[in-house]
Every structure is written in C-alpha cells, then in structure tokens.
Amino acid sequence: MRTLLEYGWGTLLPYALLLLLYWRLGSAPQLPFVASASLGGLLLWACFYRHYRHVADTPTATTRAAAQGYTECYGAAAAPGGKPLLSPYGKRPCLWYHAECQYQGREYQQRHRESHRSDDAFRLLDQRGEVVVLPAGALVDSRHQQRWRDGDYRYTEHWIAAGDPLYVLGELQRAGEHPRRQDFRDDLQLTLNQWKDDQHTLLRRFDRNGDGQLSAEEWEQARQAAQTQVQAMHRELAAAPLGSQLQQPADGRPFIISWRSPQDTARRLRRLAWCHAALATLAALHSVKLLLH
C-alpha cells in the first residue's frame, strides 16, 4: 500500500494493461483476465476506502493541543538540524526521499533495480509549535518528483523539501509530560527514603540539638525541605516544552505523510477508492456475461 499511495492515479494503469491483453487474446479464454481485474479492483477499493475513512474521521489538531494517540497534524516541513539530508542520485537537499535506479540496457546480465528510502526524522511546524516526524513505515505522497536517464540507467526520485506543506496522520507520543499529583507523592517519598539511607548527612542538616536522632519537630522540618526540593524540580519539568513525535501506529492503522491538506488527501483517497470500485464492478458484470455465454 505504501507504493500504491505514492503512485496514486498510476494504480489505474493495470486495468489498461489487462484491457490490452483482453483485446489481444481474441477468441482465447478471457474470463481469467476479467476476473482478475474484478478481484484486484475490489481489493484496491478496500485499501483506499479504509485509508480515506481514517483521514476523514480523524480531526486535525495543532501540535500543542494534540492528544497522545492516533491523531493528525497539518503544517510545514522543517529540517531537524545538523547535517542536511541529500537524495542519493540527484544530491538534492531534502527531508525525506524515495529513489530508484533501473538498468535499461541490452545486456540481460546487468538488469537490476535498486531502491533507497530515507527514515531520518524531520519536523512539522504549525502556528502553535512543532512535532518530530519519524517516517519509517509511512505511506508517503511527496510533492516533488523527477525522472531522468543517464546512459543505460533510468533514475527516479521523490522527495520532501523544507517548507513544503506537510500533513501527517499517525500515532502521537509525548516525552516529558507534566508531572501528575501521584508523581509528586512518589518523588517525595523517594527523596525521603534516599535521605534516610544517608543518616550522617540527614543528622548534620536537621539535628538541631545534636542528640544524634531526629525529633518529631526536626523530622517535620526535613519533610518540608524535601517537599520544597521536589516542588522546585516539578516546576522545572512543567516549564520545559513537551517533546512530541508522530510515528507508525503499533495497531496497524494507516500512517500517512502527504503534502496535500487533510481535505485534499481525503478527497483524493475517496476518488481513487470509487474509481477502483467502478472498474471492479464493470469487470464483474462482464465476467457474469462471459459465464452466461
């Protein structure tokens, strides 16, 4: 399905090939080809329609307000920093690429095809913040593509560039969530236990009368000091920006990256789904006609 989404309307080309074979067969058995077109069209309709429903039914959220879990964001693509990524053949600066090289000369022994796809992280920016995108396993519909020949080799590159519109539907994970009340209690207890393990330091700090043990009043002072320390630590955590990343869902739901808006992505998937459904229906009707004759 990853390749199908990248090719888009190119997924309709097999029907033309089957039609050509059907026409060239003449009086030979035609039912297997028609039945294959019907079954293949039905499977492609199911794939595209499933993805369309996920895109259409998932509300778009800003990067700051997006809840953890399955969600979609829309903004602009941005580089993550560090050394820029380059496409393998055209050496174009990019954030993601899918590149192929195919030998098309006459020597059969040299015929081969190699493919490269990047999985480096990049960023999605909107007016409220940013989120890191981990593209491994994604169905990518990129804005840029180029094909060219060099001698007996044909090269194809698809890529996402910095500044491109970017839509991502996937699993949102957050790192550095703000501490909860239970987290505060757990950290307070952990701090007190650590202080108890170091009795020498504990007595030096809070044994005011020097009798070698802590009274109830001195222990309460130690507890308040621990509480102040944990509160300061949690204030720093609350002030720190949340780190978020969109990645492939673990439950098998679609992970889609596209340069189109959410509405355009849904519209494109819906049209592809119903085109395949219509062609599958026509092929099925013709199969019935062949069986009846």
Side-chain angles (χ1 to χ4, degrees):
M1 185 64 191
R2 178 186 306 170
T3 304
L4 294 179
L5 189 65
E6 291 174 4
Y7 286 140
W9 295 107
T11 58
L12 300 176
L13 290 178
Y15 296 103
L17 295 177
L18 287 172
L19 181 62
L20 178 62
L21 286 172
Y22 177 85
W23 176 73
R24 293 291 297 271
L25 284 172
S27 58
Q30 301 169 337
L31 183 59
F33 293 92
V34 180
S36 298
S38 178
L39 180 59
L42 183 62
L43 293 175
L44 288 170
W45 167 81
C47 288
F48 280 114
Y49 188 77
R50 174 175 175 265
H51 287 68
Y52 157 67
R53 288 310 329 169
H54 279 291
V55 173
D57 296 342
T58 305
T60 306
T62 62
T63 55
R64 182 173 297 180
Q68 185 165 303
Y70 198 59
T71 189
E72 67 179 29
C73 295
Y74 181 63
K83 187 177 180 180
L85 185 67
L86 298 176
S87 61
Y89 305 125
K91 303 303 179 184
R92 299 176 178 84
C94 59
L95 307 181
W96 174 92
Y97 62 77
H98 179 202
E100 289 185 349
C101 172
Q102 184 176 10
Y103 176 77
Q104 294 188 322
R106 295 183 178 181
E107 297 183 21
Y108 181 79
Q109 293 81 0
Q110 296 187 23
R111 290 185 179 273
H112 74 281
R113 172 184 293 182
E114 61 181 27
S115 178
H116 304 276
R117 178 187 169 101
S118 66
D119 288 330
D120 294 22
F122 52 89
R123 297 183 297 157
L124 183 155
L125 306 180
D126 63 13
Q127 296 179 347
R128 304 298 300 276
E130 67 177 58
V131 63
V132 175
V133 180
L134 305 180
L139 319 174
V140 182
D141 176 23
S142 59
R143 185 176 193 175
H144 309 282
Q145 60 176 307
Q146 187 170 359
R147 295 179 175 87
W148 73 96
R149 293 183 65 95
D150 185 2
D152 292 332
Y153 292 88
R154 186 182 69 176
Y155 298 92
T156 304
E157 287 188 339
H158 302 256
W159 71 95
I160 297 174
D164 283 353
L166 187 64
Y167 163 76
V168 183
L169 172 66
E171 185 79 18
L172 182 73
Q173 296 288 339
R174 290 192 181 274
E177 289 282 6
H178 294 169
R180 301 168 297 175
R181 183 173 300 179
Q182 183 61 45
D183 294 331
F184 176 83
R185 289 194 289 264
D186 292 342
D187 288 343
L188 177 59
Q189 187 61 51
L190 178 62
T191 300
L192 290 172
N193 290 339
Q194 291 173 343
W195 287 5
K196 288 179 182 178
D197 292 338
D198 188 358
Q199 284 290 321
H200 177 73
T201 302
L202 183 64
L203 292 173
R204 180 171 53 82
R205 292 182 60 186
F206 301 105
D207 184 14
R208 304 303 182 187
N209 57 14
D211 63 354
Q213 60 183 1
L214 295 182
S215 64
E217 182 179 354
E218 290 169 340
W219 175 248
E220 181 59 28
Q221 291 175 352
R223 190 178 185 281
Q224 290 178 0
Q227 183 171 331
T228 300
Q229 178 176 312
V230 174
Q231 285 174 340
M233 180 182 65
H234 280 223
R235 279 195 297 268
E236 291 183 14
L237 290 174
L242 294 176
S244 304
Q245 60 187 35
L246 277 164
Q247 60 191 35
Q248 183 178 18
D251 58 6
R253 283 182 289 185
F255 180 29
I256 297 175
I257 298 175
S258 176
W259 67 274
R260 307 171 197 272
S261 69
Q263 297 77 16
D264 287 343
T265 301
R267 188 179 303 114
R268 182 169 182 261
L269 289 170
R270 185 184 68 238
R271 289 173 177 172
L272 283 166
W274 289 115
C275 281
H276 284 290
L279 291 170
T281 301
L282 290 174
L285 292 174
H286 194 67
S287 297
V288 173
K289 181 179 178 182
L290 291 174
L291 286 172
L292 293 177
H293 287 78

